[in-house]
Amino acid sequence: MNKLTCLFPLLFLIPLLASCAEKKQVYIVYFGEHKGDKALHEIEEHHHSYLHSVKESEEEARASLLYSYKHSINGFAAELTPDEASKLEKLAEVVSVFKSHPRKYEAHTTRSWEFVGLEEEETDDIDARPLKNDVDDRFRVGRKFLRKAKHGDGIIVGVLDSGVWPESRSFSDKGMGPIPKSWKGICQTGVAFNSSHCNRKIIGARYYVKGYEKYFGAFNVTANKDFLSPRDPDGHGSHTASTAVGRRVYGASALGGFAMGSASGGAPLSRLAVYKACWAKPNEEKVGGNVCLQEDMLAAIDDAIADGVHVISISIGTTDPLPFQQDGIAIGALHAIKRNIVVAASAGNSGPKPGTLSNPAPWIITVGASTLDRAFVGGLALGNGYTIKTESITAFKMDKFAPLVYAANVVVPGIALNDSSQCLPNSLRPELVAGKVVLCLRGAGSRIGKGIEVKRAGGAGMILGNAPANGNEIPSDSHFVATATVTPTVVEKILDYIKTDKNPMAFIKPGKTVYKYTAAPLMTGFSSRGPNVVDPNILKPDITAPGLNILAAWSGADSPSKVSIDQRVADFNIYTGTSMSCPHVSGAIALLKAIHPKWSSAAIRSALMTTAWMTNDEKKPIQDVDGLPANPFALGSGHFRPTKAADPGLVYDASYRAYLLYGCSVNFTDIDPTFKCPSKIPPGYNLNYPSIAIPNLNRTVTVKRTVTNVGIGNWTSTYVFNANPPSGVTVKAIPNVLVFNRIGQKQRFKIVIKPRTDLVLNATEKGQYQFGWFSWTDSDHVVRSPIAVSLA
Ligand SMILES: *[C@@H]1O[C@H](CO)[C@@H](O)[C@H](O)[C@H]1NC(C)=O
Ligand SMILES: *[C@@H]1O[C@H](CO)[C@@H](O)[C@H](O)[C@H]1NC(C)=O
Ligand SMILES: *[C@@H]1O[C@H](CO)[C@@H](O)[C@H](O)[C@H]1NC(C)=O
Ligand SMILES: *[C@@H]1O[C@H](CO)[C@@H](O)[C@H](O)[C@H]1NC(C)=O
Ligand SMILES: *[C@@H]1O[C@H](CO)[C@@H](O)[C@H](O)[C@H]1NC(C)=O
Ligand SMILES: *[C@@H]1O[C@H](CO)[C@@H](O)[C@H](O)[C@H]1NC(C)=O
Ligand SMILES: *[C@@H]1O[C@H](CO)[C@@H](O)[C@H](O)[C@H]1NC(C)=O
């Protein structure tokens, strides 16, 4: 791209920006591990020398550098031309050079912990509070577990997100002990954030803005609607942090009193370290308008590792998965894993389409989202006598029946046919809507925005109809008019009624919080799905946790609906996404770390995965949005069950070097100067993972695994193999009995997966994934792993 192209087309603003941006852009130059032979200042000089080798002058080199990653990650972020980037890529020691893109993180809890059996006052005496008879055994186990984990005390959880709202009661340090001596982090001050905003709960806070400023210009607090500090303008960061490690807050509820109860993080006595790497998009309606730049996230992860966190929680992902050598989260996480820091990340909100999953690296715990057994039940009644229970957390009420209209019948001229049902901004005709209930469909535009449009046009209420892709999953939002959200089947009924009745009427009853309303968990439709498109030899996601309608702390600078005309302020808010399910798992990891401080990150993941639930609270398979049993590309190993994970029996362990060896199978190589890929590279599916995925199986495949006994005591335990093979293959283990007589003992085994010769596949069946599982069982444990294979 020459200068002319950049200056020339003023009339084509977008291409102009695009081509100029291409000319000079932020790239990340990644070297892998440090050799360990240089002091910190020497590392930066070393990075400079690389940069200088492609830049004209010393000054230019210095001016172009954003970050020099020095602690664990070896690399730098700098402004380069494509030409300079490709020159650097060819140099020795350079692992990869990749462009940073302003990738949007996907926006993407009272009830959630009770639901998995963890609900206890932090300082509660187990025996002092009698358990109700109707409370199942999970709670007794849960209390013991929490006590054993000291509610996460001693564990430090780093959260990469949009910052924190330090005044929230979820982050109070009342009664907490001194900051762990191992902590090396800082409390970085800035706008509306001084050193008093850190405490014994929020023990560290930092922010990373250089990459953001390169894309969006110098930070302007007013225009950016953000704080140049660790303070959270958005709510997302406070929500995720409080879900993982928030203190117990009694009487927490969203606006309107929904979900009233006590809100608590999974590990309420763990410490929080805040790494703000996500910022509000300037000059945009703030619905989902956050960006996290890879160079900022890498700097955050590099610091988190050096600061001494034990767990990193990342509710951030890309919409299209990147190869590992270009994925900042994957790179950062690998360095964290080397120091035995456990990294959990969200799977993304691009489901239910297959192959949409982000954060697919096997050294990350990838978390999908499922539902809770809590609902906000209201009602919808039609003039023909039809009534149905619906869900709503909207505080607005209707007092009588009102006329009912379908949005598509009351739009202003010029709205495209496919958008006419969507209640997009300024699409409705007030003279046809005033005082009426409007049926709006999902598909385009935000859910909250549709209610705002109905309100603008003077409507009395809104029926929000799911599109078929949304299935039966009902997200609860704080709408601006009385709202009932309904499934596609009900949409059909309502449309039919509107068509056939001369005077259709509707009434929306406000919601109330109800527990055990439907069988739970259910898989959510939005949760991103496998197969893993970066490497189909690794089954992803790993696990699911609650991600629908989660109540947690909120920012005092943002309204619960996140739209600018909303002036409401809420301490707590109900929010939905895999962003919400990820910190559930991070909280559980903190508890497991507290119980088993020596377990590796792979052992913790294995424990969570092999003990997960595949069935709901009615002992039936967890359902997907289509009503069928959810498969491992949605659920992973299942729904997390922290209490069981503390005693998994066996674990599938994997070291940092095992990941480096795995990297050889996917061209993610030369990361560590002390590690060279062997000449014969083992297939990726031989990574010692607690699940198995084999794409395009066309012959017998033998998969190698090793399990480590982490059971209790040194007596003999005998594990027996059991399998439910995917259709079209047989699954055998060699050997099929494993005997252990001490803790820490390892046993190797092979799984032989063989296509059935008696089957002739037709074209559709070829390439289609089939699912099954295998397990090792002794008298106390079932160590279960899902299998996915597609036959060639
Ligand atoms: C920090 O700011 C708060 C107001 O938000 C103020 O009350 C407090 O005194 C400040 N602390 C320091 C150390 O400046
Ligand atoms: C910051 O943004 C505000 C509002 O857009 C604008 O009035 C102001 O001039 C900006 N300040 C700077 C230093 O650019
Ligand atoms: C309607 O079509 C337009 C243009 O193709 C698209 O942007 C929009 O998302 C569609 N709306 C729906 C509801 O599918
Ligand atoms: C890995 O690199 C080799 C040689 O550069 C190439 O042939 C192969 O396609 C690459 N594989 C992947 C998965 O990128
Ligand atoms: C099976 O597929 C692999 C690649 O996926 C190929 O290399 C191999 O030749 C195939 N084997 C048979 C028996 O078709
Ligand atoms: C189990 O045996 C090993 C080796 O004999 C010993 O080091 C360890 O302390 C024993 N553990 C328990 C729980 O008895
Ligand atoms: C392939 O077989 C499946 C069942 O085994 C059947 O449902 C499907 O219709 C078949 N497809 C074709 C193209 O014959």
Side-chain angles (χ1 to χ4, degrees):
M1 212 55 52
N2 58 35
K3 281 221 174 77
L4 191 65
T5 335
C6 266
L7 295 171
F8 166 63
L10 280 179
L11 294 171
F12 303 98
L13 194 59
I14 302 300
L16 164 76
L17 287 174
S19 57
C20 280
E22 216 177 88
K23 188 159 166 44
K24 211 171 184 195
Q25 247 202 295
V26 176
Y27 284 80
I28 292 155
V29 179
Y30 175 52
F31 296 90
E33 269 293 328
H34 292 281
K35 281 204 185 109
D37 56 350
K38 291 186 184 68
L40 284 187
H41 69 276
E42 290 172 326
I43 293 168
E44 186 156 348
E45 281 315 307
H46 187 61
H47 293 159
H48 264 301
S49 68
Y50 272 85
L51 201 44
H52 194 182
S53 75
V54 298
K55 295 279 186 191
E56 303 211 327
S57 69
E58 171 82 21
E59 289 68 43
E60 204 195 331
R62 296 218 178 260
S64 66
L65 184 77
L66 272 78
Y67 294 105
S68 170
Y69 308 119
K70 305 191 266 263
H71 298 298
S72 305
I73 302 164
N74 187 359
F76 62 83
E79 271 194 306
L80 301 170
T81 63
D83 192 40
E84 290 164 347
S86 70
K87 274 187 196 147
L88 279 167
E89 195 162 22
K90 293 192 187 85
L91 296 179
E93 292 187 47
V94 173
V95 173
S96 58
V97 176
F98 54 100
K99 249 191 277 190
S100 146
H101 291 283
R103 289 183 183 271
K104 216 178 174 175
Y105 82 84
E106 323 209 307
H108 272 306
T109 359
T110 49
R111 185 63 181 162
S112 16
W113 296 105
E114 255 178 74
F115 181 52
V116 292
L118 296 184
E119 178 80 345
E120 197 206 353
E121 167 96 35
E122 286 154 23
T123 53
D124 209 2
D125 180 348
I126 297 181
D127 309 312
R129 216 168 62 172
L131 287 162
K132 285 195 221 96
N133 291 334
D134 61 340
V135 183
D136 79 50
D137 203 40
R138 292 209 299 256
F139 293 82
R140 200 178 303 278
V141 177
R143 284 184 178 186
K144 273 204 186 128
F145 171 71
L146 270 170
R147 225 200 190 187
K148 203 168 165 194
K150 294 176 287 181
H151 299 88
D153 198 6
I155 302 300
I156 303 163
V157 178
V159 177
L160 250 72
D161 212 300
S162 63
V164 69
W165 192 258
E167 289 82 6
S168 168
R169 285 174 287 163
S170 296
F171 306 119
S172 153
D173 68 352
K174 193 164 155 252
M176 289 185 78
I179 292 171
K181 285 204 180 65
S182 61
W183 179 242
K184 298 198 257 323
I186 62 162
C187 187
Q188 189 179 2
T189 59
V191 175
F193 202 96
N194 63 32
S195 57
S196 325
H197 291 115
C198 289
N199 56 22
R200 279 166 291 148
K201 180 68 183 182
I202 304 173
I203 63 170
R206 297 179 185 260
Y207 65 93
Y208 304 86
V209 75
K210 289 181 189 170
Y212 174 88
E213 286 193 311
K214 272 284 177 274
Y215 275 99
F216 299 104
F219 201 88
N220 177 331
V221 174
T222 326
N224 295 43
K225 299 194 185 79
D226 202 336
F227 303 96
L228 191 59
S229 76
R231 183 172 286 274
D232 176 16
D234 180 84
H236 193 270
S238 305
H239 202 281
T240 54
S242 63
T243 299
V245 299
R247 298 298 294 279
R248 178 167 301 282
V249 175
Y250 293 95
S253 68
L255 284 181
F258 294 97
M260 178 72 89
S262 60
S264 172
L269 292 187
S270 287
R271 315 298 172 130
L272 172 64
V274 175
Y275 298 89
K276 177 170 170 183
C278 299
W279 302 87
K281 261 191 181 173
N283 308 319
E284 274 186 34
E285 186 57 61
K286 275 176 52 180
V287 179
N290 273 281
V291 287
C292 327
L293 280 295
Q294 303 205 65
E295 58 273 34
D296 292 337
M297 290 195 286
L298 269 174
I301 297 173
D302 198 36
D303 278 346
I305 296 169
D307 288 349
V309 303
H310 301 107
V311 182
I312 300 180
S313 189
I314 308 181
S315 289
I316 302 168
T318 54
T319 35
D320 36 358
L322 298 163
F324 301 137
Q325 52 272 56
Q326 295 174 24
D327 179 346
I329 294 177
I331 288 172
L334 182 68
H335 290 270
I337 261 65
K338 186 182 180 194
R339 280 102 191 143
N340 235 351
I341 297 163
V342 193
V343 182
S346 47
N349 302 336
S350 309
K353 233 173 71 188
T356 45
L357 178 129
S358 72
N359 295 318
W363 47 89
I364 292 175
I365 304 183
T366 313
V367 188
S370 44
T371 66
L372 283 174
D373 62 345
R374 177 187 63 202
F376 309 108
V377 180
L380 169 68
L382 303 182
N384 60 0
Y386 176 80
T387 61
I388 182 174
K389 284 186 176 161
T390 61
E391 295 186 43
S392 169
I393 56 160
T394 301
F396 296 93
K397 293 185 172 74
M398 284 177 67
D399 47 15
K400 57 177 197 301
F401 270 88
L404 168 66
V405 290
Y406 177 38
N409 298 335
V410 292
V411 285
V412 296
I415 302 287
L417 191 62
N418 73 333
D419 280 339
S420 63
S421 59
Q422 299 290 314
C423 300
L424 299 176
N426 299 314
S427 69
L428 298 175
R429 292 171 65 180
E431 69 276 23
L432 297 180
V433 165
K436 296 179 184 166
V437 171
V438 186
L439 170 63
C440 305
L441 300 187
R442 288 172 67 184
S446 76
R447 300 186 299 268
I448 297 267
K450 294 173 198 284
I452 290 173
E453 174 58 9
V454 170
K455 187 187 167 87
R456 184 199 62 84
M462 168 170 74
I463 301 172
L464 183 57
N466 274 3
N470 307 121
N472 296 340
E473 138 214 330
I474 305 289
S476 297
D477 304 300
S478 239
H479 286 289
F480 281 77
V481 285
T483 298
T485 307
V486 299
T487 63
T489 331
V490 178
V491 169
E492 289 306 314
K493 289 209 169 88
I494 297 170
L495 283 174
D496 205 48
Y497 170 58
I498 292 173
K499 238 180 262 161
T500 55
D501 199 296
K502 275 210 284 307
N503 195 13
M505 304 287 282
F507 174 64
I508 295 166
K509 241 172 62 183
K512 271 209 230 106
T513 309
V514 175
Y515 296 104
K516 306 265 175 212
Y517 178 57
T518 50
L522 275 171
M523 203 55 218
T524 64
F526 63 77
S527 191
S528 289
R529 307 301 162 105
N532 177 344
V533 298
V534 175
D535 181 11
N537 293 295
I538 300 294
L539 178 49
K540 289 278 179 176
D542 295 310
I543 202 148
T544 69
L548 185 77
N549 300 334
I550 304 302
L551 181 75
W554 203 241
S555 163
D558 195 11
S559 64
S561 65
K562 303 182 76 35
V563 289
S564 52
I565 66 159
D566 189 353
Q567 297 295 318
R568 302 173 298 180
V569 174
D571 294 345
F572 290 86
N573 194 16
I574 290 173
Y575 216 39
T576 285
T578 53
S579 285
M580 281 63 243
S581 59
C582 168
H584 275 90
V585 171
S586 307
I589 293 166
L591 297 175
L592 291 172
K593 265 279 206 207
I595 297 177
H596 300 292
K598 295 209 175 110
W599 280 11
S600 70
S601 84
I604 286 179
R605 176 186 42 225
S606 177
L608 282 164
M609 285 172 68
T610 61
T611 58
W613 270 321
M614 291 296 284
T615 51
N616 63 24
D617 52 10
E618 292 173 356
K619 310 256 184 289
K620 302 216 178 75
I622 296 173
Q623 271 179 29
D624 208 335
V625 280
D626 56 7
L628 299 172
N631 70 42
F633 284 163
L635 263 184
S637 298
H639 190 273
F640 84 143
R641 201 157 43 147
T643 52
K644 280 280 177 196
D647 178 24
L650 305 175
V651 295
Y652 293 84
D653 207 351
S655 65
Y656 168 66
R657 292 184 89 76
Y659 293 126
L660 294 179
L661 180 62
Y662 161 80
C664 303
S665 71
V666 285
N667 281 356
F668 188 43
T669 56
D670 304 316
I671 315 287
D672 192 302
T674 67
F675 182 89
K676 285 275 162 287
C677 287
S679 54
K680 193 163 180 291
I681 294 168
Y685 55 70
N686 273 349
L687 176 67
N688 199 34
Y689 213 71
S691 60
I692 292 178
I694 314 271
N696 297 316
L697 187 77
N698 58 0
R699 65 196 151 84
T700 301
V701 163
T702 303
V703 179
K704 293 180 184 164
R705 289 290 185 268
T706 302
V707 279
T708 308
N709 181 25
V710 294
I712 299 151
N714 266 353
W715 54 81
T716 303
S717 48
T718 304
Y719 282 87
V720 177
F721 183 79
N722 196 359
N724 178 21
S727 112
V729 299
T730 60
V731 171
K732 245 178 31 180
I734 306 171
N736 61 9
V737 174
L738 299 175
V739 180
F740 298 87
N741 45 37
R742 62 182 170 82
I743 295 172
Q745 189 177 3
K746 290 180 188 291
Q747 298 273 16
R748 276 195 271 204
F749 64 92
K750 288 176 182 161
I751 299 249
V752 181
I753 303 176
K754 194 171 171 184
R756 276 169 55 183
T757 47
D758 55 331
L759 291 178
V760 181
L761 299 182
N762 68 29
T764 354
E765 289 165 320
K766 277 187 189 169
Q768 189 133 56
Y769 274 95
Q770 306 290 342
F771 305 95
W773 50 261
F774 71 91
S775 67
W776 292 101
T777 310
D778 77 347
S779 52
D780 298 323
H781 308 97
V782 179
V783 187
R784 199 168 176 290
S785 296
I787 309 173
V789 299
S790 72
L791 293 165

